[in-house]
């Protein structure tokens, strides 16, 4: 692991790709306070931005350029006027299951969008001091497990033949936390593969040109401001809308799937820390809540908030989903001086309170 002690000073210009989305809007106030100029490039995709209008959550001090990061013309337009000191690269198609059916779209946005950005920076001779990449725990796939003798191994992708027989776990094995310095990435979705490609492309390019990189592998991000219309992301908001309508929340597999639900506030503070940390490294770091919860636990807390019926197990499964996923966040704590502040119950309360206050929200 190599690190540098050069710090990114407040002031200057930050450019945020996909910056009108859930995470981008959440970090925009902090960025506007710290930088002289905040420029957001976002195509306002209708799957997330139903109205096609600038989102209210995006800080008014941020300049919004509505354009596609995967088009060379976008970068020629933006970089004529913008000289970024820091880039926060959030732009991505994020649907894990959807990526298996729309692999070209996910690859185009996530991989070509990244390479077009880097080519544009070269073409206009405007290399930033630092790039912060929002990556994903999806790069790990099923991650590492431990056998009965305590030896780590990689079981690989779960197949339909075993899932159809309700064999959810790997017999005799125990899952391990995901840790970038130890866990070998082996994505089981097209989305995960494109996020890993983003990391590799950025690392190779940045090391060649001396650009600092901060790569953050995010676990399951949720919270106020999350899209309520995107059916491919945001299981927590979907659960809230089901419970709001008095429905029993359906639990896939056996309800014991483990996830690391991390509140948007904690993710936002991690990304901002990545932009300003005095110590940076080119290797990925994991961002999560510091603990795992089962899907069943999350659903039960949501049901209790809405006085909805108990969640029920369906035995269904979704291709591309991993069995268990949670992060070892020690590297981010050490390098960035960051730690999460909110537990699951606090986060669900914030999310549900926000959803309840939305004027046009409809039960699912």
């Amino acid at each position: 692991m190599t690190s540098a002690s050069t710090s990114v000073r407040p002031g200057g210009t930050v450019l945020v790709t996909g910056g009108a989305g859930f995470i981008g809007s959440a970090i925009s106030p902090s960025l506007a306070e710290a930088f002289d100029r905040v420029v957001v490039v976002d195509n306002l995709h209708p799957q997330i931005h139903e109205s096609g209008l600038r989102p209210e959550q995006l800080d008014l001090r941020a300049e919004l350029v509505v354009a596609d990061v995967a088009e060379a013309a976008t970068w020629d337009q933006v970089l004529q006027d913008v000289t970024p000191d820091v880039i926060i690269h959030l732009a991505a198609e994020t649907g894990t299951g959807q990526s298996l059916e729309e692999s070209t779209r996910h690859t185009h946005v996530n991989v070509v969008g990244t390479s077009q950005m880097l080519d544009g920076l070269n073409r206009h001779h405007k290399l930033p001091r630092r790039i912060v990449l929002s990556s994903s725990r999806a790069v790990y796939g099923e991650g590492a497990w431990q056998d009965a003798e305590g030896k780590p191994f990689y079981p690989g992708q779960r197949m339909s033949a075993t899932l159809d027989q309700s064999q959810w776990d790997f017999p005799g094995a125990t899952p391990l936390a995901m840790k970038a310095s130890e866990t070998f990435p082996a994505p089981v979705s097209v989305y995960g593969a494109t996020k890993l490609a983003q990391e590799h492309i950025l690392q190779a390019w940045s090391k060649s040109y001396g650009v600092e990189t901060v790569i953050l592998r995010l676990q399951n991000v949720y919270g106020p401001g999350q899209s309520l219309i995107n059916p491919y992301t945001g299981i927590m908001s979907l659960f809230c809308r089901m419970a709001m309508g008095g429905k029993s929340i359906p639990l896939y597999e056996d309800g014991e799937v483990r996830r690391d639900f991390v509140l948007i506030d904690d993710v936002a503070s991690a990304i901002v820390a990545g932009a300003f940390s005095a110590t940076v490294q080119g290797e990925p770091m994991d961002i999560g809540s510091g603990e795992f919860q089962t899907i069943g636990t999350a659903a039960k807390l949501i049901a209790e908030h809405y006085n909805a019926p108990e969640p029920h197990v369906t035995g269904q499964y979704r291709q591309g989903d991993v069995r268990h996923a949670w992060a070892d966040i020690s590297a981010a704590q050490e390098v960035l001086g960051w730690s999460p502040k909110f537990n699951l119950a606090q986060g669900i309360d914030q999310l549900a309170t926000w959803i309840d206050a939305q004027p046009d929200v409809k039960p699912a």
Side-chain angles (χ1 to χ4, degrees), residues 12-212:
T13 298
V14 60
L15 189 154
V16 189
T17 70
F22 178 35
I23 296 175
S25 294
I27 65 176
S28 62
S30 295
L31 297 180
E33 289 295 328
F35 286 92
D36 298 322
R37 188 180 184 192
V38 179
V39 180
V40 167
V41 180
D42 198 299
N43 68 349
L44 299 183
H45 195 285
Q47 185 168 302
I48 299 171
H49 304 277
E50 188 173 29
S51 70
L53 302 175
R54 179 188 177 110
E56 294 181 2
Q57 297 95 330
L58 181 63
D59 194 283
L60 292 174
R61 293 167 288 182
E63 304 169 36
L64 175 60
V65 179
V66 180
D68 187 345
V69 296
E71 300 297 327
T74 293
W75 296 104
D76 290 335
Q77 172 195 350
V78 170
L79 294 173
Q80 280 184 354
D81 177 53
V82 178
T83 302
D85 297 287
V86 176
I87 294 176
I88 299 176
H89 190 33
L90 306 176
E93 293 291 348
T94 59
T96 302
Q98 184 185 27
S99 73
L100 294 172
E101 300 175 352
E102 298 186 28
S103 55
T104 300
R105 173 180 158 193
H106 282 70
T107 303
H108 181 69
V109 174
N110 299 358
V111 179
V112 177
T114 300
S115 61
Q116 288 283 25
M117 176 182 72
L118 301 180
D119 286 349
L121 293 169
N122 270 338
R123 197 162 55 246
H124 291 266
H125 307 288
K126 291 187 175 181
L127 302 186
R129 185 186 304 118
R130 181 178 296 183
I131 298 178
V132 180
L133 173 66
S134 169
S135 188
S136 170
R137 57 94 174 160
V139 303
Y140 294 114
E142 291 290 346
W145 289 57
Q146 186 173 269
D147 65 19
E149 298 178 353
K151 182 180 179 181
F153 75 102
Y154 290 84
Q157 186 169 356
R158 297 186 298 168
M159 307 301 289
S160 297
T162 55
L163 295 174
D164 286 341
Q165 298 175 26
S166 300
Q167 183 178 313
W168 311 123
D169 287 299
F170 299 97
T174 304
L176 299 174
M178 295 168 168
K179 186 176 184 179
S181 62
E182 297 178 2
T183 310
F184 185 79
V188 297
S189 67
V190 172
Y191 167 66
T194 64
K195 295 304 288 185
L196 186 59
Q198 277 189 325
E199 292 185 10
H200 289 168
I201 291 168
L202 179 61
Q203 285 173 317
W205 183 90
S206 297
K207 288 175 182 176
S208 297
Y209 292 104
V211 175
E212 297 174 348

Side-chain angles (χ1 to χ4, degrees), residues 332-353:
Q333 290 174 311
E334 178 183 350
V335 175
L336 302 180
W338 166 89
S339 288
K341 297 181 178 179
F342 299 93
N343 62 32
L344 182 62
Q346 292 170 320
I348 285 176
D349 183 64
Q350 286 194 31
L351 173 63
T353 299

Side-chain angles (χ1 to χ4, degrees), residues 209-228:
Y209 292 104
V211 175
E212 297 174 348
T213 58
V214 176
I215 298 173
L216 304 177
R217 292 176 175 171
L218 310 182
Q219 292 284 325
N220 285 58
V221 187
Y222 74 103
Q226 195 164 24
S227 174
L228 299 178

